[in-house]
Amino acid sequence: MKLRLRINGKAMEMETRADMRLLDILRSMEDDEGTALKGTKEGCGEGECGACSVFLNGKLVNSCLIPAPQAQDAHIETIEGIGATEAGKLLIQSLTDAHGVQCGFCTPGFVMAAINLLRVESDPDEQAIRTALAGNLCRCTGYDMIVDGVQLAAKAAAGKEGFTW
Ligand code: FES
Ligand code: FES
């Protein structure tokens, strides 16, 4: 099938099989610098770990569960796109400062889930953060430091004029 979609704002068109997953399509693509988009990770492959999270038309989804036809004409944001924004950079720095990044495998998924929360609730309490991140698994941190990182990011953003998540 011919698949047309926008990835991080760039229109793309490709031949793909209808049984390919969006996760596989993203990880086999390259950006303008010829760097493969490998930031979206495969953990479980069955919708349980959140490592493959992306935004599809603004909605947080597990890309391992999205068959290619479902991405037709969609706008996809990956960690490469989000990570290049002011919001993404602030969040990643805050997670790092709070020691919420250890091996880093889960981090792209946590970043996407946290941004998804912060876009609608810029000053979330701890429980709201834990609920928003409940679909993401981390083997390293015990989660508390990730929650701290999101709180740190929310505080830092509140002090920046004109900042949007
Ligand atoms: S790889 Fe998609 S949810 Fe785990
Ligand atoms: S930092 Fe290693 S899995 Fe989360």
Side-chain angles (χ1 to χ4, degrees):
M1 63 174 283
K2 184 163 286 205
L3 183 66
R4 287 175 308 276
L5 69 179
R6 263 190 314 141
I7 299 179
N8 299 324
K10 188 175 172 212
M12 308 228 179
E13 194 170 295
M14 72 204 74
E15 275 300 326
T16 188
R17 294 196 325 266
D19 63 352
M20 287 275 281
R21 306 170 303 171
L22 177 58
L23 172 63
D24 302 314
I25 293 166
L26 293 173
R27 287 183 55 83
S28 63
M29 302 211 48
E30 297 198 340
D31 65 15
D32 287 342
E33 279 83 49
T35 308
L37 296 175
K38 302 269 192 198
T40 305
K41 305 295 188 202
E42 176 158 15
C44 64
E46 34 188 57
E48 299 293 336
C49 75
C52 64
S53 300
V54 299
F55 289 106
L56 188 154
N57 294 331
K59 184 168 179 272
L60 188 69
V61 297
N62 291 320
S63 61
C64 70
L65 298 182
I66 305 292
Q70 223 171 297
Q72 188 68 273
D73 295 320
H75 178 207
I76 310 295
E77 290 171 278
T78 71
I79 186 64
E80 287 84 359
I82 293 290
T85 64
E86 183 186 14
K89 286 179 186 160
L90 175 65
L91 180 56
I92 292 166
Q93 188 59 54
S94 299
L95 287 170
T96 306
D97 292 346
H99 307 287
V101 180
Q102 292 187 16
C103 81
F105 186 85
C106 68
T107 306
F110 275 97
V111 168
M112 304 305 272
I115 292 273
N116 189 50
L117 168 67
L118 292 162
R119 281 178 174 176
V120 294
E121 171 56 75
S122 61
D123 185 22
D125 63 20
E126 181 186 336
Q127 192 49 50
I129 296 171
R130 288 189 187 276
T131 300
L133 303 184
N136 294 72
L137 301 182
C138 174
R139 290 172 184 271
C140 306
T141 64
Y143 300 99
D144 289 349
M145 291 177 280
I146 295 175
V147 174
D148 291 347
V150 176
Q151 285 179 319
L152 200 60
K155 275 199 190 72
K160 287 179 184 283
E161 201 168 328
F163 183 94
T164 53
W165 288 106

